[in-house]
Coordinates of all heavy atoms in Angstrom, one line a residue:
C128 N -0.4 5.5 8.8 CA -0.3 4.1 8.2 C 1.0 3.9 7.5 O 1.7 2.9 7.7 CB -1.5 3.9 7.2 SG -1.6 5.3 6.0
T129 N 1.5 4.8 6.8 CA 2.8 4.8 6.1 C 3.9 4.8 7.0 O 4.8 4.1 7.0 CB 3.0 5.9 5.0 OG1 1.9 5.8 4.1 CG2 4.3 5.8 4.3
G130 N 3.7 5.8 8.0 CA 4.9 6.0 9.0 C 4.9 4.8 10.0 O 6.1 4.2 10.1
Q131 N 4.0 4.4 10.6 CA 4.1 3.4 11.6 C 4.0 1.9 11.1 O 4.7 1.0 11.6 CB 2.9 3.5 12.6 CG 2.8 4.8 13.4 CD 4.1 4.8 14.2 OE1 4.5 4.0 15.0 NE2 4.7 6.1 14.3
L132 N 3.3 1.6 9.9 CA 3.1 0.3 9.4 C 4.1 -0.1 8.4 O 4.3 -1.1 8.0 CB 1.8 0.1 9.1 CG 0.6 0.4 10.0 CD1 -0.7 0.1 9.5 CD2 1.0 -0.5 11.3
K133 N 4.9 1.0 7.8 CA 5.8 0.7 6.7 C 7.2 1.2 6.9 O 8.1 0.6 7.4 CB 5.2 1.3 5.4 CG 4.0 0.7 5.0 CD 3.5 1.1 3.6 CE 2.2 0.4 3.1 NZ 1.8 1.0 1.8
T134 N 7.3 2.6 6.8 CA 8.6 3.2 6.9 C 9.4 2.9 8.2 O 10.6 2.7 8.2 CB 8.4 4.8 6.8 OG1 7.7 5.1 5.6 CG2 9.8 5.4 6.6
H135 N 8.7 3.1 9.3 CA 9.3 2.9 10.5 C 9.9 1.5 10.8 O 11.0 1.2 11.2 CB 8.3 3.2 11.8 CG 8.8 3.0 13.2 ND1 9.9 3.6 13.7 CD2 8.6 1.8 14.0 CE1 10.2 3.1 14.9 NE2 9.4 2.1 15.2
L136 N 8.9 0.5 10.4 CA 9.4 -0.9 10.5 C 10.6 -1.3 9.7 O 11.6 -2.0 10.0 CB 8.2 -1.8 10.2 CG 7.1 -1.8 11.0 CD1 5.9 -2.7 10.4 CD2 7.3 -2.2 12.4
I137 N 10.6 -0.7 8.5 CA 11.7 -1.1 7.5 C 13.0 -0.4 8.0 O 14.1 -1.0 8.0 CB 11.3 -0.6 6.1 CG1 10.3 -1.6 5.5 CG2 12.6 -0.6 5.2 CD1 9.7 -1.1 4.2
Q138 N 13.0 0.8 8.4 CA 14.1 1.5 8.9 C 14.8 0.9 10.1 O 15.9 0.7 10.3 CB 13.9 3.0 9.2 CG 15.2 3.9 9.4 CD 16.1 3.6 8.2 OE1 15.8 3.9 7.1 NE2 17.4 3.3 8.5
K139 N 13.8 0.5 11.1 CA 14.2 -0.3 12.2 C 14.8 -1.5 11.9 O 16.0 -1.9 12.6 CB 13.0 -0.4 13.1 CG 13.3 -1.1 14.5 CD 12.0 -1.3 15.3 CE 12.4 -2.0 16.6 NZ 11.1 -2.1 17.5
E140 N 14.4 -2.2 10.9 CA 15.0 -3.6 10.6 C 16.4 -3.3 10.0 O 17.3 -4.1 10.2 CB 14.1 -4.4 9.7 CG 14.6 -5.8 9.2 CD 14.7 -6.6 10.4 OE1 14.3 -6.4 11.6 OE2 15.3 -7.8 10.2
I141 N 16.5 -2.3 9.0 CA 17.8 -2.0 8.4 C 18.8 -1.7 9.5 O 19.9 -2.1 9.5 CB 17.6 -0.9 7.4 CG1 16.9 -1.4 6.1 CG2 19.0 -0.5 7.0 CD1 16.5 -0.4 5.1
N142 N 18.4 -0.9 10.4 CA 19.4 -0.5 11.5 C 19.7 -1.7 12.3 O 21.0 -1.9 12.7 CB 18.7 0.5 12.4 CG 18.5 2.0 11.8 OD1 19.2 2.2 10.8 ND2 17.6 2.7 12.3
R143 N 18.9 -2.7 12.5 CA 19.1 -3.9 13.3 C 20.2 -4.8 12.5 O 21.1 -5.3 13.0 CB 17.9 -4.6 13.5 CG 18.1 -5.9 14.4 CD 17.0 -6.7 14.6 NE 16.6 -7.5 13.3 CZ 17.3 -8.6 13.0 NH1 18.3 -9.1 13.7 NH2 17.1 -9.3 11.8
L144 N 20.0 -4.9 11.1 CA 20.8 -5.7 10.3 C 22.2 -5.2 10.2 O 23.1 -5.9 10.1 CB 20.1 -5.9 9.0 CG 18.8 -6.7 8.9 CD1 18.1 -6.5 7.6 CD2 19.1 -8.1 9.3
K145 N 22.3 -3.9 10.0 CA 23.6 -3.4 9.6 C 24.7 -3.3 10.8 O 25.8 -3.5 10.6 CB 23.4 -2.0 9.0 CG 23.1 -0.9 9.9 CD 22.9 0.4 9.2 CE 22.7 1.7 10.0 NZ 22.5 2.9 9.4
G146 N 24.2 -3.1 12.0 CA 25.0 -3.1 13.0 C 26.2 -2.1 12.8 O 26.0 -0.9 12.7
E147 N 27.5 -2.6 12.7 CA 28.6 -1.8 12.5 C 28.8 -1.5 11.0 O 29.8 -0.8 10.6 CB 30.0 -2.4 13.1 CG 29.8 -2.5 14.6 CD 29.8 -1.2 15.3 OE1 30.3 -0.3 14.9 OE2 28.9 -1.2 16.3
R148 N 28.1 -2.1 10.2 CA 28.3 -2.0 8.7 C 27.5 -0.8 8.1 O 26.7 -0.2 8.7 CB 27.9 -3.3 8.0 CG 28.8 -4.4 8.3 CD 28.2 -5.8 7.9 NE 27.1 -6.2 8.6 CZ 26.2 -7.2 8.2 NH1 26.5 -7.9 7.1 NH2 25.2 -7.5 9.0
T149 N 27.8 -0.6 6.9 CA 27.1 0.5 6.1 C 25.9 -0.2 5.4 O 26.1 -1.3 4.8 CB 28.0 1.1 5.0 OG1 29.1 1.7 5.8 CG2 27.2 2.2 4.3
A150 N 24.8 0.5 5.4 CA 23.6 -0.2 4.6 C 23.3 0.7 3.4 O 23.3 1.9 3.3 CB 22.4 -0.2 5.4
L151 N 23.1 -0.1 2.2 CA 22.6 0.5 1.1 C 21.2 0.1 0.8 O 20.9 -1.1 0.8 CB 23.5 0.2 -0.2 CG 24.9 0.7 -0.3 CD1 25.5 0.2 -1.5 CD2 24.9 2.2 -0.3
S152 N 20.2 1.0 0.8 CA 18.8 0.7 0.6 C 18.4 1.0 -0.8 O 18.5 2.1 -1.3 CB 18.0 1.6 1.6 OG 18.3 1.2 3.0
Y153 N 17.8 -0.1 -1.4 CA 17.3 0.1 -2.9 C 15.9 0.2 -2.9 O 15.2 -0.6 -2.3 CB 17.8 -1.1 -3.7 CG 19.4 -1.1 -4.0 CD1 20.1 -1.7 -2.9 CD2 19.9 -0.6 -5.0 CE1 21.5 -1.9 -3.0 CE2 21.3 -0.8 -5.1 CZ 22.1 -1.2 -4.2 OH 23.5 -1.3 -4.3
V154 N 15.4 1.3 -3.4 CA 13.9 1.6 -3.4 C 13.4 1.7 -4.9 O 14.0 2.2 -5.8 CB 13.6 2.8 -2.7 CG1 12.1 3.1 -2.6 CG2 14.2 2.8 -1.2
G155 N 12.3 1.0 -5.1 CA 11.7 1.1 -6.4 C 10.8 2.3 -6.8 O 9.5 2.2 -6.7
I156 N 11.5 3.3 -7.1 CA 10.8 4.5 -7.5 C 11.1 4.7 -9.1 O 12.2 4.6 -9.5 CB 11.1 5.8 -6.8 CG1 10.6 5.7 -5.4 CG2 10.7 7.0 -7.5 CD1 10.9 6.9 -4.6
A157 N 10.0 4.7 -9.9 CA 10.3 4.9 -11.3 C 10.8 6.2 -11.8 O 10.6 7.2 -11.0 CB 9.0 4.6 -12.1
A158 N 11.3 6.2 -13.0 CA 12.0 7.5 -13.5 C 11.0 8.7 -13.7 O 11.4 9.8 -13.4 CB 12.6 7.2 -14.9
D159 N 9.7 8.4 -13.8 CA 8.7 9.5 -13.9 C 8.2 9.9 -12.6 O 7.4 10.8 -12.6 CB 7.5 9.2 -14.9 CG 7.1 7.6 -14.8 OD1 7.6 6.9 -13.8 OD2 6.3 7.2 -15.7
E160 N 8.7 9.4 -11.5 CA 8.5 9.9 -10.3 C 9.7 10.2 -9.5 O 9.7 10.1 -8.3 CB 7.5 8.9 -9.5 CG 6.2 8.9 -10.0 CD 5.2 8.2 -8.9 OE1 5.6 7.2 -8.3 OE2 4.1 8.7 -8.7
A161 N 10.7 10.6 -10.2 CA 12.1 10.9 -9.6 C 12.0 12.0 -8.4 O 12.8 12.0 -7.5 CB 13.0 11.3 -10.7
W162 N 11.0 12.9 -8.6 CA 10.8 13.8 -7.5 C 10.6 13.3 -6.1 O 10.8 14.0 -5.1 CB 9.7 14.8 -7.8 CG 8.3 14.0 -8.1 CD1 7.9 13.6 -9.1 CD2 7.3 13.6 -7.0 NE1 6.6 12.9 -8.9 CE2 6.3 13.0 -7.6 CE3 7.3 14.1 -5.6 CZ2 5.2 12.5 -7.0 CZ3 6.2 13.5 -5.0 CH2 5.2 12.8 -5.5

Side-chain angles (χ1 to χ4, degrees):
C128 50
T129 300
Q131 295 297 316
L132 303 183
K133 294 183 179 181
T134 308
H135 174 73
L136 294 180
I137 289 173
Q138 191 56 55
K139 182 179 179 181
E140 181 65 7
I141 290 175
N142 290 339
R143 186 189 72 81
L144 291 170
K145 70 181 184 181
E147 298 297 321
R148 293 171 288 170
T149 299
L151 289 179
S152 298
Y153 294 84
V154 180
I156 289 180
D159 38 8
E160 287 199 320
W162 56 270

